[in-house]
Every structure is written in C-alpha cells, then in structure tokens.
Amino acid sequence: MAQTVSLTAAQAVVRFLKSQYSDYDGLQERLIGGMYGIFGHGNVAGMGEALEEYGDDLPFYQAKNEQSMVHAAMGYAKAKNRRATLACSASIGPGSTNMLTGAATATINRIPVLLLPSDIFAHRRPGTVLQLLEHPLEADLSVNDAFRPLSRFFDRISRPEQLLTALPEAMRILVDPANTGAVTISLPQDVQGEAFSCPAGFFDRRVWRVRRASPNADEIARAADLIAHSSRPLVIAGGGVRYAEAEAELVAFCNRFGIPVMETFAGKGVSQGASLLLGGGGTTGTGAAARVGEKADLVIAIGTRLTDFTTASRSHFNSETRYLSLNVNAQDACKLGAEPIVADAKLALAALGEALAARGYATTHSFRNEVRGVVDTWLENYRTSISHEQGAPLKQGTIIAMVNQAAVKGDVVIAAAGTPPGEIMKAWDNSAGSECFIEFGFSCMGHEIPAGLGVAIARENRGTVFVVIGDGTYLMGPTELVTAVQEGARLVTVVIENWGFQCIRALQQASTGADNFGNEFRRRSAGGRQPDGDYLDVDYAANARSMGCAVFSASDPDGLAEALAQARTVDGPAVIVVKAEKRGGSIGADLWWEVGVAEVSGLERVREARRRYETGRAKQKTLV
C-alpha cells in the first residue's frame, strides 16, 4: 500500500513546489525559486501557516502591492530565461484581483508566473462573507473567475485532493515554450486549511524538461526556397530568439547570408554582433530599420508575435512583401499569411542555414553596402538629435545614452511604458555586454521597479539593474523600493522628471492637434476644467529617500555621470532623479501607428489629424 502523509492543502502546495525542477539542455534548477506574498484573512492562516512550517528552502518575499509581486516574478523569470519563476500568494478579494493586471502582462508576454489567489469559502457555511461578489445567476462565481481569460491555465481547488492533478498540470504549462504565461490555482480559504491523505511520492523530486521542437523538413525546404528567391530579405528578431538561447545561431545566420536584422522590444539585444544590425524596429524603432523594411521583398520573422508596433499597424512593409515566420507557437507562425516553421528557433535556424548553404544563397554586396549606408546615416542623425546644448534641459535620449555608457557586462536595463522603451530601442548598444528587458507586450506602467527587483533577486545582485522610468510611472508604483531595501537589491532607478505623461501628450498632439489636455502635472487654474495652471513641484528625491533608498539628483550631463557612477557603488537600491526637458524628442522611424482619430469634428486641427490618419490607413495590409 502506498505511503501517505496527512497535510493541509496549503502545506501540500508548499511541499510540492519545493521539489519541482526544470531542465533546459541539461541545466537543472528549481522551477519555483520562492514565493512572494501579502497576507490577509484569506491566506494568512492557510498559506501563511504552511510557509512557516514547511517553507524551508522556499524563500518568502514580502511585497507591498499584489500587482507588483507578479511583475517581480516576471523579472525573475526573464532573468532565468523562463527556466524558473516565483509563486505569488494573495488574500481573497482585492488582494487577489490586484494581481489581474500582472496576470495579463505575463500571459501577453509569454512569461511564466504561478499565481495562488485565495478564494471565498467553498463550504459556504458563513453565508454572505466579506469581499464576496454575489452574482444573480451564477452562485459559484467569485472575483477570481476574472483570472480565467488572463491565464494560460486556471483551476479552482474545491477539494484538497484536486491538487494531485492541478499542480502537475500547472508545472507543465509553466515550462511549455509555446503556451506559457500566467498559471492560476485559485485556493478557497477553507480548503487551504483542510487536511487530506496525500501520497508521499507526490513530493518526490520531479524534473520538467523544456522541450525544443524540431523543425519539419518540408517546412525548412519551403522556407529555404522562399529565401533563395529574395534579393532584399529582412529578419525581425523577437523574444523567442532569447528564450531559445539562439542568439549565436541568429547572428551566424544573418552574417553568413548577408541579411539585415531588426529587433522587437522583447528581442532587443539578441542580434548583437550582426554585421547588418538595424537596431530596434517598428513604430518606435530606428529610421534605418524603417527604410530597409519599406523595400524588403521578404520578411523573416523569428520568435515574434508581430504586434502593431513592430509592423507599424501592418503599414510598414510594401504590397509585394512576402512573409516567413519561425515560431514555437503555431498561431504566431501563421500571422500575416506567412509561410510557417513551427519549431524551436535554435534548431530551426541551424537547419535553415544548412538548407540555404546547399542552395548557394547570399545577398549581393551592393545590397549590403546600401544597408550599411542607411545605418550610418541614421546613427549620425540620431546622435545629432540627442546632443546636449550647454544650459539646456537634458533630453530623454541623452539621459538614456548616458545610462547606456554607464552599463557594463552583467548589467540590465528595464523599461516598459512611455518614452524610455522607444529611446532604448533606437540607440541602446549592447556591445559592452549589458542586456535589455523591455516589457511592451502590455506596456504596463508600474512594471519596471518590481521587475527590476525580480531580476536582482534572480541574479543574486550580480551586476546592476537600471530601471528607467518617467515621473508618471514612478507615481503609479514606487513602493517596491521598500522591498528592494529589505532585500538589499542593487537596483538603480532613474526617474526622468518631465512633469507629466509626455509620451501620451505627444500622441495626443499628433492625433488631435491638442497642445495638452489632462496629460501634464499642473495645478488647476481658477475656473479651469482641467489642470492647466502652473506645473507641480513634486519632490521625488524626498519620497525615495523616505523609503530607505540612496538618492541622487541631476540636471546636466556632468551631474548625471557622477550620479550614475556613485549609484552603482551603493550596497542596495538607489534612485536618481533627473530633470529633463518637458517636451520634445529624438528623431524617429517616421512610421505610422493606428490610434482612433475622430472621424468628424468641428475643429480644423482634428480634421487635419484625420486626414493624416487616412493616409496611414491606406498603407495597411489586410492579411490575416
């Protein structure tokens, strides 16, 4: 008879998570590296007790906001290249629903996180309980059902025995390269404390292997034929290249056949060493990627979801462009009517390279020289656009270029929303060995600081993590800086103070002609219908100092250089507040991006914006 052990459901979860490992190309490590949590009446007596009694070797991290702990788990998972992640425990009601934005961010970006939201009583004896959503038609519904569309896997545990099937399935999804994302196990608070006889073997060490899907020979042959007939090919390198650890294969492929490469947000930095590197691509990418892309006769998408920022809302490439897509996810591989290769990027690039070599393929020297000329011209113009004039406010491009100069091998820069991701896409140079972790699948403001903390924890403070954000993002969620102080994380947060949501103000101006409506941090003038008076003077440095961070301030290049040098020597988190120009920006790609511009208006500036919109929409492709 199989040996059993009497445990509560929460105790079984903790013991199970400690014995799960991932295996990626022979490298084994703990799949769940620790648990983030905020305790409340839904989990303090269940999961809290279980962690105290059985949580040895499962570090507990105290978050300050439930959304933030999911972002921290994402940063941890990125730093581990999706081989490991963190679990997140929250109390019932708002504690759990606070994780919804994090769940969406993780699933959209294909980053594994394990969410353990607490739920209302399964036995229903107390009747209408605190934080219960009463639905008139579905008595078994709770607020946790909101996780269903945001999760790659969802289960509600109404009996402890259900963990025996739910937890292994959760682990399987976490390590699935094609389908990973937020995995949610909803745990009613009474069930967390209920005991059951659990098979002792359930807690034996189990290794989950991250599979590399081999390419189909027919798909490789068709793809090679397609490339062999192209004269102006272009590679788009996405996050799938990073997660497959296929950077070397990508660079060798592009250099061997003379193919230029542009990167997505998730793929930023994976093409370092490519001789025809165009930098970031798409709407907020480089002008070089834009100009080369406009003439491409074949787009080779590798490990990318081909979002609207990458394709300029499907207006970037010309009407004759054909598409080839290499992706572990079949849905992504077939976008834009592409010829698909559904496979691991590392294996598929190697196979495709062999097939092309057998055909004797290479682009012409004149094409390669043309691309190099476009890149050189773009870089010269961009550097001119971010050059600093003595006495003038610092430009955002200048600030980020200086952070780039300060970054060395082992350092990471993190951005997610506003202007910083675009500036990093256009000009960040990874040749010194730094990495870029840009979250732009969901473009979630508030992701950056907790994600940086997750990276610092995963890497055990090897290297410095630079978080680059605007003052608007800082105001949304700075409190994980307190957690960073607790953990002694080497986290340097660069707060660009430009008095508002200036990225959106610029979009507002482009799409409606309005100078500003509701996007700058101003006082309300007498009788004003929006804040349109004097700019606010917010002391971000004092705020960061109050949370225990070392703080530096800068308003010119010399001051910023000194602050960056000092901040990276701090044994713990540091914040640099940099005063920047309120408006303005560096040169861009000059590509279109679709936003909903008013079709009718009594304002001529809006009608003019609509005419520009119609010009861009006329370039859109209608391929699936």
Side-chain angles (χ1 to χ4, degrees):
M1 186 173 181
Q3 185 179 0
T4 62
V5 57
S6 181
L7 294 168
T8 69
Q11 292 166 356
V13 169
V14 171
R15 286 193 58 180
F16 177 85
L17 295 182
K18 293 195 302 180
S19 61
Q20 308 306 300
Y21 290 78
S22 67
D23 183 308
Y24 197 179
D25 290 350
L27 174 63
Q28 293 188 7
E29 58 185 307
R30 285 275 295 275
L31 178 54
I32 307 299
M35 187 177 295
Y36 254 95
I38 297 179
F39 294 126
H41 71 268
N43 63 343
V44 68
M47 189 60 67
E49 187 283 329
L51 285 166
E52 183 182 18
E53 185 173 359
Y54 291 101
D56 55 302
D57 298 327
L58 190 70
F60 175 77
Y61 302 100
Q62 181 196 74
K64 307 303 175 289
N65 176 279
E66 291 88 357
Q67 180 187 144
S68 294
M69 64 189 183
V70 186
H71 294 310
M74 286 185 63
Y76 184 97
K78 279 191 175 183
K80 293 287 188 177
N81 209 28
R82 302 196 306 185
R83 298 185 301 266
T85 189
L86 300 174
C88 300
S89 173
S91 60
I92 70 170
S96 288
T97 57
N98 279 349
M99 295 196 294
L100 289 169
T101 297
T105 307
T107 296
I108 287 171
N109 285 279
R110 312 277 171 82
I111 303 298
V113 295
L114 177 61
L115 308 184
L116 303 172
S118 299
D119 215 329
I120 56 176
F121 291 100
H123 57 52
R124 304 188 187 180
R125 287 195 297 268
T128 304
V129 299
L130 179 67
Q131 300 173 328
L132 169 65
L133 172 69
E134 295 183 278
H135 194 281
L137 299 178
E138 299 179 60
D140 64 340
L141 183 142
S142 83
V143 294
N144 283 10
D145 286 279
F147 284 97
R148 292 180 184 272
L150 306 179
S151 304
R152 299 303 293 181
F153 175 75
F154 177 93
D155 200 355
R156 176 178 283 114
I157 305 303
S158 58
R159 295 294 308 148
E161 295 86 352
Q162 294 169 353
L163 291 172
L164 299 178
T165 55
L167 286 174
E169 181 64 6
M171 300 301 107
R172 184 188 69 81
I173 296 295
L174 287 174
V175 300
D176 184 342
N179 294 301
T180 195
V183 170
T184 305
I185 305 291
S186 185
L187 298 168
Q189 62 171 309
D190 54 330
V191 176
Q192 289 183 39
E194 291 181 1
F196 73 118
S197 295
C198 185
F202 189 59
F203 307 115
D204 290 345
R205 176 186 174 112
R206 181 161 182 179
V207 178
W208 301 87
R209 289 175 174 79
V210 182
R211 294 188 179 91
R212 288 192 182 274
S214 297
N216 177 276
D218 289 341
E219 290 182 346
I220 291 293
R222 287 194 295 270
D225 286 340
L226 192 59
I227 297 173
H229 288 87
S230 69
S231 59
R232 304 183 66 88
L234 168 67
V235 164
I236 301 178
V241 175
R242 169 176 281 122
Y243 303 134
E245 298 183 348
E247 294 93 335
E249 286 76 12
L250 171 68
V251 172
F253 177 85
C254 292
N255 288 348
R256 183 177 189 181
F257 303 110
I259 303 176
V261 54
M262 76 180 210
E263 299 167 331
T264 70
F265 290 98
K268 178 61 181 172
V270 300
S271 309
Q272 188 60 48
S275 60
L276 299 178
L277 177 58
L278 304 172
T283 305
T284 54
T286 70
R291 304 292 83 78
V292 172
E294 286 168 341
K295 297 180 180 179
D297 60 1
L298 176 67
V299 168
I300 306 168
I302 305 174
T304 170
R305 297 187 302 126
L306 292 172
T307 65
D308 61 344
F309 261 72
T310 298
T311 67
S313 299
R314 297 188 175 182
S315 71
H316 184 188
F317 310 110
N318 64 73
S319 58
E320 302 301 318
T321 303
R322 300 186 68 180
Y323 301 89
L324 164 64
S325 187
L326 192 167
N327 206 294
V328 292
N329 184 288
Q331 179 183 14
D332 289 335
C334 292
K335 286 178 179 175
L336 289 174
E339 182 71 44
I341 302 177
V342 182
D344 171 82
K346 191 182 188 78
L347 300 181
L349 278 168
L352 188 57
E354 291 179 5
L356 276 181
R359 289 163 172 77
Y361 177 76
T363 60
T364 64
H365 290 294
S366 61
F367 171 67
R368 300 183 198 192
N369 290 334
E370 176 190 338
V371 171
R372 292 188 185 99
V374 170
V375 171
D376 290 344
T377 299
W378 152 256
L379 285 175
E380 182 179 353
N381 291 336
Y382 177 78
R383 288 164 183 158
T384 298
S385 76
I386 66 168
S387 60
H388 179 70
E389 298 177 12
Q390 187 69 29
L394 280 166
K395 300 175 182 178
Q396 290 203 43
T398 307
I399 294 168
I400 290 172
M402 292 187 66
V403 177
N404 192 177
Q405 291 168 8
V408 299
K409 185 175 182 179
D411 291 348
V412 176
V413 64
I414 292 176
T419 308
E423 294 295 342
I424 292 171
M425 284 288 282
K426 283 187 279 191
W428 191 277
D429 182 357
N430 296 96
S431 60
S434 64
E435 293 184 77
C436 300
F437 290 169
I438 305 175
E439 187 288 295
F440 214 74
F442 208 42
S443 185
C444 185
M445 298 178 72
H447 167 85
E448 301 92 328
I449 292 175
L453 175 57
V455 172
I457 290 172
R459 296 193 170 187
E460 299 176 328
N461 285 329
R462 294 190 299 273
T464 298
V465 179
F466 291 98
V467 171
V468 184
I469 55 176
D471 45 10
T473 296
Y474 180 86
L475 289 172
M476 283 194 172
T479 52
E480 292 312 303
L481 288 173
V482 177
T483 310
V485 171
Q486 288 177 297
E487 299 298 331
R490 293 187 61 191
L491 185 70
V492 177
T493 300
V494 180
V495 181
I496 300 174
E497 186 179 2
N498 61 1
W499 288 268
F501 306 119
Q502 295 294 358
C503 176
I504 298 303
R505 189 211 61 79
L507 176 62
Q508 179 182 61
Q509 187 171 40
S511 59
T512 71
D515 177 70
N516 166 63
F517 186 87
N519 278 310
E520 293 187 310
F521 298 158
R522 300 181 175 212
R523 300 182 185 277
R524 186 180 299 275
S525 58
R529 64 193 185 102
Q530 64 136 338
D532 59 357
D534 294 337
Y535 287 96
L536 293 177
D537 186 14
V538 181
D539 195 339
Y540 299 101
N543 178 265
R545 190 175 293 110
S546 74
M547 290 187 282
C549 297
V551 178
F552 306 90
S553 298
S555 58
D556 57 46
D558 290 341
L560 179 55
E562 178 64 20
L564 287 165
Q566 292 185 32
R568 68 178 303 126
T569 67
V570 172
D571 187 17
V575 173
I576 302 174
V577 180
V578 189
K579 291 189 181 297
E581 63 178 3
K582 293 183 178 68
R583 301 179 179 184
S586 61
I587 61 170
D590 194 25
L591 292 174
W592 183 67
W593 183 53
E594 181 166 15
V595 293
V597 178
E599 192 167 4
V600 295
S601 174
L603 301 173
E604 173 54 29
R605 58 179 169 78
V606 177
R607 294 195 295 270
E608 173 58 29
R610 180 68 190 191
R611 288 190 286 271
R612 293 195 300 271
Y613 168 85
E614 296 289 353
T615 299
R617 193 171 72 169
K619 300 178 182 178
Q620 272 184 313
K621 317 303 183 300
T622 56
L623 292 173
V624 295

